[in-house]
Amino acid sequence: MTDSDARLPERDPAPAPRRAWLRWSRSVRFWVVVLLSTVLITSLTSAYVVQPFVIPSGSMEGTLQVGDRVLVNKLAYRFGGDIHRGDVIVFDGAGSFDAETADDGPLVGLIRGAVAAVGLGTSSDSDYVKRVIGVGGDRVTCCDAEGRITVNGQPLDEHYLYPGDEPSSVRFDIRVPEGRLWVMGDHRSDSADSREYLGSPGGGTVSEDRVIGRVDWIGWPIGRWSSLRSDHG
């Protein structure tokens, strides 16, 4: 028997359609892994570090415009950082601005979270964005003889107000309870804020525990890229 006779017959290579199928299958698996990894990283970042948020109304004009995508710093207050007057915050108004909302269930919550993670919506219908005017212990009053809001007797320099707006058309005099905040929109004539909810639980104030984070940057549209400097009182 010759060497050539002893050789085993070579196996035929996989047919072309099968090779194409294997290449396609590997490619699909690769991109599925990439997609799932991206979603996981984005979700974790949104949940614990920075969350995109869409501005839904004109209550913060001209600081924030309708449709702006802002980035909310969720670490700003997480490790003992103080909430300051002048901070622009996102908070959950359930129980103060809104009645307690019913749980929509895990599936709806997951969908809301995924949409919020990419900045196409909010994680809750009760999320608000406003500016902090008074913190716990402050006495906030409208208005002095010159029509200015005062905090602890000192008038505020509210250069961020929407052009033509007065500080407030609603008179109030409130002592902010400890652990709570008095918040207002920059577009005072188009903002349902603490003034609107004086008769609600908390007297229009918001619990610090409901604060989601501080708005630090405008990320979209490109022409409005900027950081927001807090106007501390």
Side-chain angles (χ1 to χ4, degrees), residues 117-189:
V118 294
L120 296 178
T122 65
S123 56
S124 169
D125 286 336
S126 58
D127 288 348
Y128 291 82
V129 56
K130 303 293 180 188
R131 188 181 296 274
V132 177
I133 302 300
V135 298
D138 284 343
R139 182 180 179 183
V140 186
T141 305
C142 174
C143 289
D144 66 7
E146 297 181 31
R148 299 169 298 185
I149 289 175
T150 64
V151 177
N152 303 324
Q154 298 299 313
L156 296 182
D157 175 16
E158 297 192 283
H159 58 272
Y160 43 73
L161 286 183
Y162 186 76
D165 269 9
E166 57 182 327
S168 179
S169 59
V170 177
R171 299 280 171 170
F172 55 85
D173 186 349
I174 184 170
R175 178 76 66 176
V176 182
E178 292 295 338
R180 301 188 72 86
L181 306 167
W182 179 270
V183 297
M184 301 174 74
D186 290 354
H187 193 173
R188 298 287 160 79
S189 62

Side-chain angles (χ1 to χ4, degrees), residues 53 55 70 72 88-92 127-130 210-215:
F53 184 87
I55 302 303
V70 298
V72 178
V88 177
I89 61 170
V90 171
F91 61 92
D92 181 358
D127 288 348
Y128 291 82
V129 56
K130 303 293 180 188
R210 291 289 191 174
V211 175
I212 295 168
R214 185 180 65 209
V215 179

Side-chain angles (χ1 to χ4, degrees), residues 56-126:
S57 74
S59 69
M60 283 297 295
E61 293 177 336
T63 304
L64 301 173
Q65 308 293 334
V66 177
D68 279 353
R69 267 65 170 178
V70 298
L71 299 179
V72 178
N73 181 357
K74 303 184 82 169
L75 298 179
Y77 311 122
R78 184 159 292 176
F79 301 106
D82 292 331
I83 301 175
H84 295 280
R85 303 182 203 101
D87 286 354
V88 177
I89 61 170
V90 171
F91 61 92
D92 181 358
S96 53
F97 280 28
D98 294 315
E100 292 287 353
T101 53
D103 187 0
D104 292 323
L107 179 58
V108 174
L110 181 63
I111 294 172
R112 284 187 181 277
V115 170
V118 294
L120 296 178
T122 65
S123 56
S124 169
D125 286 336
S126 58

